[in-house]
Amino acid sequence: MNGWISTKDRLPKPFQGVIIAREYEVGKPMRVEAGMLTTGGWWKVYGTNVKKVAYWMPLPEPPGEEHDV
């Protein structure tokens, strides 16, 4: 799945910012958002606690000094 890691296989370190994929509405495509695993199996996504995260991946490296503004 293009670098996506299933939450059934492995979880990120707690409080590490990651990209997540989760079902937001039944029957609709998964929503991709920034989030982090917190405590008790909860994920923090935009200030809201959620449980049902299916996949995650590390955040990419930020652009280097040579990036255009």
Side-chain angles (χ1 to χ4, degrees), residues 16-42:
Q16 171 189 352
V18 296
I19 300 171
I20 62 139
R22 67 184 179 111
E23 184 176 44
Y24 189 73
E25 291 182 48
V26 176
K28 302 253 177 154
M30 285 191 169
R31 186 174 274 189
V32 175
E33 303 167 302
M36 68 177 60
L37 181 65
T38 60
T39 58
W42 288 97

Side-chain angles (χ1 to χ4, degrees), residues 1-19:
M1 256 193 104
N2 301 333
W4 289 101
I5 301 164
S6 172
T7 55
K8 293 177 183 175
D9 294 336
R10 185 169 49 126
L11 294 173
K13 294 178 186 175
F15 304 103
Q16 171 189 352
V18 296
I19 300 171

Side-chain angles (χ1 to χ4, degrees), residues 11 52 55 61:
L11 294 173
K52 295 183 179 180
Y55 298 94
E61 290 295 320

